[in-house]
Amino acid sequence: MPKHRPALGIRLAPRRLSFLFVLVGLFALFTLLFTLPSSIPTGPSLSKSIADHKFSIPKYKDKLSSSILNPFRPASHKPPEQKNSTYGGSSWYSNWNWRSPFSSSITLDENRSLLPPLKDRAPIYCYYDTTVQREQTLREAESALLLTWRRAWWAQGFKPVILSAAEAMNNPLYDELQRLDVEPSFKKDMMRWLAWENMGGGLLSHHLLFPMATREDPLLSFLRRGEYPGLTRWEGFNNALFAGPKIQITEAITLALKDAKNKNAKDFVSAVTADTFRIDPSHESLAFYDPKTVDKIYQKVSQDAAADRNKGLQSMNLLINSHLHNTWQDNFGSGIAVLKPMPAHTTYMIEPTLDLATRLAACSDSPMPSSCPPNLPKCSPCVSSHPMKITTPARYRNTTGLYTIGTVPHPYTLRTLDTQRETLDVAYVRREIRRRDEWLYLVFQELLGTGISGSARVVRFKDAVAGEYATSHSLWLTGERDALPHDLDWWFGFAVPGNATNDGRSETPVPGPERRPKPQHDPADGPIPSDEDLATEPRLLQRARDVAKSKLEDDVRVRAAIEAWNLADTEAWRFAKAFLARSRVERLKWEEEESRYAGGVGSDSDKKGRGNSWLRWGDEDEGEG
């Protein structure tokens, strides 16, 4: 066997060979630093710092940058907690920077969501005479009608307030009115004006005036702003609606009380001069159910009222509620979309929202099912039309005539259902999850495409939840609750039917799940789940709920790992949960305050559910917070 001789006849030991390589490397480095720059003339193609033998470490000039990527940003305190900013396990901070992708960059708290500031609601007042003695049944019927009035205006962004003689008595002009010898009807009408002036003006409505239009309607948008340049009434409405500032209201009241000609006046409008009001002819978005209109158009209700006032009020309430519901259905001619990303494994998770869609597509009880609101005589009555279209798309579509109901799952819930695994661990999160923030990716894939980051998708999601008119076009619930919110009537502005009993076709009176109209399935939305998957989903969803409530170290660790891996999905889940929680807190605080006035008429008597489970991740009773 031939022998291998060392190159150049020199034999080096391994230690000496390593030392030789080090010397060669140092020689090459010094040659590069000192010889090369001096041998090449400087020019525009060379760096000035290299040619001049100057080397410097980059400096971060703006150490006070607010970016979360700034490593030199000094530590700061968390923003102070705002009043009424926690409920049912959710916490939020209202700020104009609510479109920031991640709330923690502002709140400095992972569990505190950044929400848009609450808009001031323009107050709208109506007057209820509490001095008149009524039977209990009649009082309850009137209170139910006032509740319908409050609910309809609240859903349109107003703050409905019921005034009584107590507010009128606080007016300095009250005593002067009592000394006048005038018609009883004039004195009664003046009481509502005194109560309204005492509140500082704004909007004064009849309790039978209802908004019957989309939230974007120009008149409703104008009224919501709460700025009224002069004392205004609407043509053809007589005393149904007034708007104006306090100064002009006071002047008009003073004129009506001091004019000696008003002794025979029947109401306030006839007691003042013609130039007292500005007359607005446009009121197509408002429906007024005055006795003249009811006698002319709704004879069945008029007959009920003539036979029994209590029955007449109940019939009137059912009629108005059905018109509010039917108007909502007409506004969304494209139907209802119940979002269902990952359609093979999320059927059970979206079952409550699908049930809500079925109820919204049904028809409300009405004494005159084929009738239309007085301001919309050419509507499409629910009983004579086809049922609303219900679809379960996997993608969010920003369509004007389409109402969207979304179910936002926690990333842990989504992964449990998608993988059909009862147990997840950190190793699975690190090795098996291929796409981060998959829920947002799937929901907004059609609208935003595939090349958008999770932070951009979550900003678009926040706009879909809390944008200018988003609340009137969509509803977003979390995926971990087992029941629908009990107070959705306030969200929609009408009493949502309890059972989907009438879709314009002949069916059994109370159809069970097997008889309900099935949503239309588009093959592009994905596969239909198998019976085996449907049988597995309830157990897996319950497992996700149990892990959510668990305080075991392993469960907390894997939940935190999944949240860290899906930051945008987690932000979306917390945002939707906090936004709905704050909406409810706003209404409950207002209801609690208003229940002390006017004898509590028009209040929602159903107080069950304060601290109900639908707002919470783990469905535990944590109270209002």
Side-chain angles (χ1 to χ4, degrees), residues 151-152 155 359 485-497 604:
R151 202 160 45 202
R359 291 162 55 188
H486 78 278
D487 53 357
L488 284 176
D489 300 350
W490 291 90
W491 185 273
F492 293 101
F494 53 85
V496 179
D604 195 344

Side-chain angles (χ1 to χ4, degrees), residues 346-364:
T346 54
T347 301
Y348 187 75
M349 185 183 73
I350 70 162
E351 185 66 28
T353 52
L354 189 59
D355 175 69
L356 173 61
T358 307
R359 291 162 55 188
L360 289 170
C363 298
S364 295

Side-chain angles (χ1 to χ4, degrees), residues 17 109 116 126 156 161 189 224 249 262 277 331 335 340-341 391 418 420 442 454 457 482 495 526 530 540 559 594:
L17 186 61
D109 185 346
C126 80
Q156 289 286 357
V161 177
D189 197 26
R224 259 195 308 271
I249 297 172
N262 294 337
F277 297 99
N331 291 337
K340 189 182 180 183
T391 57
D418 182 46
Q420 301 284 285
L442 294 173
R457 295 178 188 277
D482 55 0
S530 64
L540 294 174
R559 197 166 65 230
E594 289 300 314

